[in-house]
Amino acid sequence: MTNEMRYGDSEAKEPLHYTWCGLEDVYLCSGYERIPTHEGDDIVIQDLDGLHRVIGEYLARHKKSLSGKEVRFLRKQLDLSQSELAVLMGTTDQAVARWEKGKTRISGAAETLVRVIYLGHVSKAIDVQEVLRELRSSDAPMSDKQIFTETAEGWKAAA
């Protein structure tokens, strides 16, 4: 099989069991082309980035619970190492590794956070990763008063 992913025809074909993304339950009904070679068929997938984005959005929005392989898929789509994801989530890289290997189940709150981080990444509506980084590095003193000021640009939190 070639590593090349290029545009081919998009007519409906026999579903392709697409395991190259690291997931065992993904099938493509179209958007791929089989190219016969002397070593067997090469598979060419159209818009691979778009396919992976849709798989990620499906997992984040519709999957009742995420498997370890699905957590790994989302992390890789975020282009984060286990350590980087762990820092964003306030856990350890070993915890992320155990989730991904299926050795421990990811908690509901952690699973939700993985989903939110992914959806924030693809929607660009809010940079969830930046918010989490700011929260982790924030050294604002604890106060019993939260002070806000109206300015010409709108309301602002007092520094």
Side-chain angles (χ1 to χ4, degrees), residues 7-18:
Y7 289 96
D9 67 31
S10 59
E11 66 186 53
K13 303 173 182 65
E14 173 185 337
L16 173 70
H17 188 190
Y18 178 63

Side-chain angles (χ1 to χ4, degrees), residues 23-83:
L23 302 174
E24 300 296 324
D25 57 353
V26 175
Y27 291 83
L28 307 180
C29 292
S30 62
Y32 70 92
E33 180 181 2
R34 292 183 188 271
I35 301 177
T37 69
H38 64 282
E39 296 176 6
D41 286 353
D42 280 349
I43 305 294
V44 177
I45 298 181
Q46 299 176 23
D47 188 14
L48 190 60
D49 290 340
L51 171 61
H52 285 188
R53 186 179 58 256
V54 167
I55 292 169
E57 287 182 23
Y58 175 81
L59 294 175
R61 291 180 185 276
H62 301 290
K63 222 34 214 301
K64 184 167 179 133
S65 63
L66 296 174
S67 71
K69 288 181 179 184
E70 291 164 341
V71 171
R72 178 183 299 123
F73 176 86
L74 293 175
R75 176 182 60 77
K76 287 185 174 187
Q77 293 308 300
L78 290 164
D79 196 27
L80 295 174
S81 68
Q82 290 176 337
S83 295

Side-chain angles (χ1 to χ4, degrees), residues 117-148:
I117 292 169
Y118 180 79
L119 292 170
H121 174 76
V122 296
S123 76
K124 306 294 186 208
I126 184 170
D127 189 342
V128 175
Q129 292 182 47
E130 184 59 31
V131 170
L132 292 172
R133 282 188 202 97
E134 287 174 8
L135 288 172
R136 294 273 168 240
S137 66
S138 176
D139 60 355
M142 293 297 289
S143 172
D144 44 342
K145 290 184 183 177
Q146 308 301 319
I147 302 171
F148 301 89

